[in-house]
Structure formats: structure tokens, C-alpha cells
Amino acid sequence: MSNNVEQQIKEAIERMRGFIQQDGGDIRYVKFEEGIVYVEMLGACQGCAALDTTLKDGVESILVEEIPGVIAVEQI
């Protein structure tokens, strides 16, 4: 894995954190393996009915669009 790709992922997640934190949640980068970014959702995100939408329509769509090599986002 390229450290550059991992750094790009971390920077993109950091930009998204403010929006997630506005609703009482948070997101933490865990790892990047075989094109998949693994994150941990914290705070109000845990058990939230909109979690799948936040992950797939929000976080995943941004990371896939912005960072070559990212194909999906999964929650740990």
C-alpha cells in the first residue's frame, strides 16, 4: 500500500469529520486493504438508522471519486 494513498484517505476523512460531528457522530480511519477503506463509526453514528446512507452515499462516494484505488468503505 502506498503511504500517499493512505495519507489522501486520512485527509479526506478529516474533511468529512466536521459534517459527521454536527450530528453527534464521528468517524475514525482504521486501515486500507485491497481497495477497501475500513472505518469505525463513533458517537451518535453507532446504531443510527442513517448509518448505511452516511457510509455509502457520503463517505464511500467521496473516497471512491477522489482517491484512485479506493473501491469501497466498510465499517469495523
Side-chain angles (χ1 to χ4, degrees), residues 4-51:
N4 185 40
V5 171
E6 187 173 35
Q7 186 61 35
Q8 289 176 351
I9 292 167
K10 288 178 181 180
E11 289 171 1
I13 287 174
E14 191 61 33
R15 287 193 310 270
M16 290 180 248
R17 285 184 74 215
F19 297 103
I20 294 170
Q21 288 171 340
Q22 286 177 351
D23 292 326
D26 206 350
I27 183 171
R28 183 178 70 86
Y29 170 81
V30 177
K31 64 182 176 178
F32 177 65
E33 286 183 349
E34 300 178 13
I36 301 174
V37 177
Y38 294 90
V39 297
E40 180 180 15
M41 302 303 289
L42 305 165
C45 289
Q46 295 175 325
C48 175
L51 179 59

